[in-house]
Amino acid sequence: MHQDCERILLTQEMIARRVAEVGKAVDAHYAGKTPLIIGILKGSIIFFSDFIRLLTCPVELDFMAVSSYGSGSVSSGNLRIKKDIDRDVAGRDVIIVEDIIDSGFTLANLKALLSERGAKSVAVVTLLNKIGRREYEIEPDYNCFNIENEFVVGYGLDYDQKYRNLPYIGILKRSVYEK
Ligand code: PRP
């Protein structure tokens, strides 16, 4: 285990097993369709790459990078798009892939934005769901793990851009982010 982690919350095996279950459920739902799968940079990259390889339906891939201006009412105006998708979403079945839902701000806004752009359907697939932290009305269509309000890193998730490459999800030591 990395020295900056207090403990491992989700092992590689736990993640692989649960991601496979969720991937199978999503795959069954999209049989006969060609969803446009949008990964939200950067946290989702590891989950995204494992998840898409579980799908047997044809898929198209795209990416967005966003950041928030802080809290406020739910509107796409509060979400800053740093990198937009290249594809037109009109009439498409869209699957947004995220690493974590915290306040719900990012996904509530993203879902509204993609619907406004004319997507036929917008589903949210997330690796982690911090259920106790929700401030905006958004629930994932598919979620791998509910977690408590802990500082998690690894499997794509960072602290100060570090730890994304850890193969497991660990809880960061307080001393790392409180110094
Ligand atoms: C994280 C995560 C979500 C968002 C969730 O991204 O990937 O996009 O925060 O928080 P919310 O539910 O309160 O909106 P972050 O801004 O840390 O960027 P990163 O993915 O590049 O690490």
Side-chain angles (χ1 to χ4, degrees):
M1 186 178 71
H2 194 288
Q3 59 182 15
D4 291 351
C5 287
E6 186 181 290
R7 67 184 171 92
I8 292 177
L9 181 67
L10 300 165
T11 64
Q12 271 181 271
E13 294 72 24
M14 288 163 78
I15 297 169
R17 207 177 315 127
R18 182 63 186 141
V19 170
E21 282 174 8
V22 169
K24 203 172 164 189
V26 176
D27 195 42
H29 184 82
Y30 287 89
K33 296 179 178 168
T34 303
L36 175 63
I37 308 186
I38 302 177
I40 310 305
L41 300 170
K42 303 170 190 164
S44 72
I45 55 160
I46 312 285
F47 175 49
F48 182 94
S49 63
D50 281 346
F51 168 72
I52 57 166
R53 286 178 291 171
L54 295 161
L55 303 180
T56 58
C57 57
V59 299
E60 290 178 21
L61 310 179
D62 214 326
F63 297 92
M64 283 181 94
V66 298
S67 66
S68 62
Y69 280 128
S71 56
S73 60
V74 178
S75 84
S76 52
N78 290 327
L79 193 72
R80 190 163 77 90
I81 299 173
K82 296 193 284 186
K83 184 232 171 289
D84 208 339
I85 45 174
D86 305 321
R87 317 282 301 168
D88 183 3
V89 297
R92 301 297 307 267
D93 291 303
V94 173
I95 303 175
I96 304 174
V97 178
E98 259 290 22
D99 54 337
I100 189 164
I101 309 182
D102 190 343
S103 70
F105 175 84
T106 305
L107 275 171
N109 279 284
L110 267 178
K111 210 175 163 178
L113 177 69
L114 295 169
S115 296
E116 273 167 32
R117 288 180 179 180
K120 185 174 162 196
S121 67
V122 183
V124 171
V125 178
T126 186
L127 175 70
L128 304 175
N129 186 18
K130 271 192 178 175
I131 41 173
R133 295 262 303 170
R134 201 71 85 253
E135 292 173 36
Y136 297 84
E137 245 180 70
I138 178 85
E139 286 309 321
D141 298 272
Y142 300 91
N143 167 44
C144 296
F145 300 98
N146 286 330
I147 63 165
E148 300 298 321
N149 186 26
E150 290 180 293
F151 205 131
V152 284
V153 294
Y155 196 71
L157 290 105
D158 75 311
Y159 169 61
D160 201 15
Q161 299 303 325
K162 293 190 275 286
Y163 313 108
R164 293 194 198 272
N165 58 327
L166 297 180
Y168 48 83
I169 292 177
I171 297 177
L172 200 60
K173 283 180 183 166
R174 273 183 170 274
S175 56
V176 176
Y177 55 91
E178 283 184 350
K179 69 187 171 193

